[in-house]
């Protein structure tokens, strides 16, 4: 398929924006969060600055955070009510709206790579549970021990039966624009603490947690998944971005929508086709990092 007709032929300024989840506790290791999102941004930037694809950049950034035990994705995922790990992830490229997603998957160290393989297979958009594991086997994505995903921190939080207000935080996401003008977005999470087994959140749902259209931009959301699903936040945020003169404003009104119509809390990151970024959250903290050629090093505005 040809690129979108309204895309200008000019080479684009590569840019990446990464988040580490709305709702992180600011008193609980802010430096570690900052270093984590910076490392993920550097991993994605390495791809983009070498002329690589936005899809590879967001996968690389999200994998870095899935491997980081402090974030609620891959290793470090929160536990379900029954003490199990069930992860959601989705990835999308905005030229042809190709996407892949997995939901409620156990025993996969990097669910975002499994979602990527599904995107590449070009047959289904979303696989869940055992079917997702069978697909993983068929495409050579390795299974791991559940124990390798469970951290002491999450075991403690599970034992404390955290109050609902403390159940968010640590979901990860990235949006990138590459030199050829393709925008990709990706999101990965362990979900919410104490969720019922089988629960699927926004991070696995295209249009809710993740969305990208190269002629407009890309978005990755985080926060109260049920509220994000109710207002289809990712897709609506992208169309706010299309209409708004300023991505920061688009991010802000999208979060207002989440709070007022969705009656939930959270945040999101945005990137438009020009490489302009925006982010907003209704929680006290959302780790964010941005990198583009105009910056000497990743900007970490939190
Ligand atoms: N949105 C995620 C979910 O509901 C949680 C989060 O972003 O903290 O699964």
């Amino acid at each position: 398929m040809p690129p979108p007709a309204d895309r200008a032929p000019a080479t684009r300024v590569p840019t990446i924006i990464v988040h580490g989840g709305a709702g992180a506790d600011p008193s609980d290791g802010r430096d570690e969060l900052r270093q984590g999102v910076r490392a993920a941004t550097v991993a994605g930037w390495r791809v983009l600055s070498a002329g690589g694809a936005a899809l590879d950049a967001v996968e690389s950034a999200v994998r870095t955070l899935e491997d980081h035990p402090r974030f609620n994705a891959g290793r470090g995922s929160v536990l379900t009510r029954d003490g199990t790990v069930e992860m959601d992830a989705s990835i999308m490229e905005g030229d042809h709206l190709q996407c892949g997603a997995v939901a409620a998957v156990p025993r996969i160290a990097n669910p975002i790579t499994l979602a990527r393989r599904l995107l590449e297979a070009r047959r289904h958009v979303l696989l869940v549970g055992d079917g997702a594991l069978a697909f993983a086997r068929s495409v050579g994505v390795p299974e791991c021990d559940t124990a390798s995903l469970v951290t002491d921190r999450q075991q403690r939080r599970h034992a404390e039966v955290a109050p609902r207000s403390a159940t968010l935080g640590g979901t990860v996401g990235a949006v990138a624009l590459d030199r050829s003008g393709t925008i990709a977005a990706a999101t990965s999470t362990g979900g919410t603490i104490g969720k019922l087994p089988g629960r699927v959140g926004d991070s696995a749902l295209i249009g809710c947690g993740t969305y990208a259209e190269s002629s407009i931009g890309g978005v990755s959301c985080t926060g109260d998944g049920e509220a994000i699903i109710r207002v289809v936040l990712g897709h609506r945020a992208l169309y706010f971005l299309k209409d708004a003169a300023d991505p920061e404003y688009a991010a802000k009104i999208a979060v207002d929508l989440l709070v007022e119509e969705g009656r939930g809390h959270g945040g999101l990151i945005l990137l438009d086709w020009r490489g302009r970024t925006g982010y907003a959250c209704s929680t006290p903290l959302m780790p964010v990092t941005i990198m583009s050629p105009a910056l000497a090093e990743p900007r970490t505005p939190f």
Side-chain angles (χ1 to χ4, degrees), residues 1-13 52-55 92-98 176-184 212-217 242 272-275:
M1 272 166 82
D6 51 354
R7 183 202 286 177
T11 300
R12 292 290 156 73
V13 176
L55 207 49
M92 183 165 190
E93 70 85 37
D95 282 2
H96 307 114
L97 309 186
Q98 297 291 351
L177 167 70
D178 65 30
R179 275 186 206 163
S180 72
T182 300
I183 291 178
E213 271 186 56
S214 297
S215 60
I216 305 173
K242 187 177 184 187
D272 78 1
W273 62 273
R274 297 184 183 88

Side-chain angles (χ1 to χ4, degrees), residues 16 36 40 49 54 57 61 63 69 71 112 120 131 184 198 241 247 268:
I16 184 165
S49 59
R63 279 182 67 103
F71 293 85
I112 201 65
E120 288 164 350
L241 181 65
L268 54 90

Side-chain angles (χ1 to χ4, degrees), residues 85-97:
V85 175
E86 293 187 358
M87 298 163 289
D88 295 343
S90 58
I91 188 165
M92 183 165 190
E93 70 85 37
D95 282 2
H96 307 114
L97 309 186

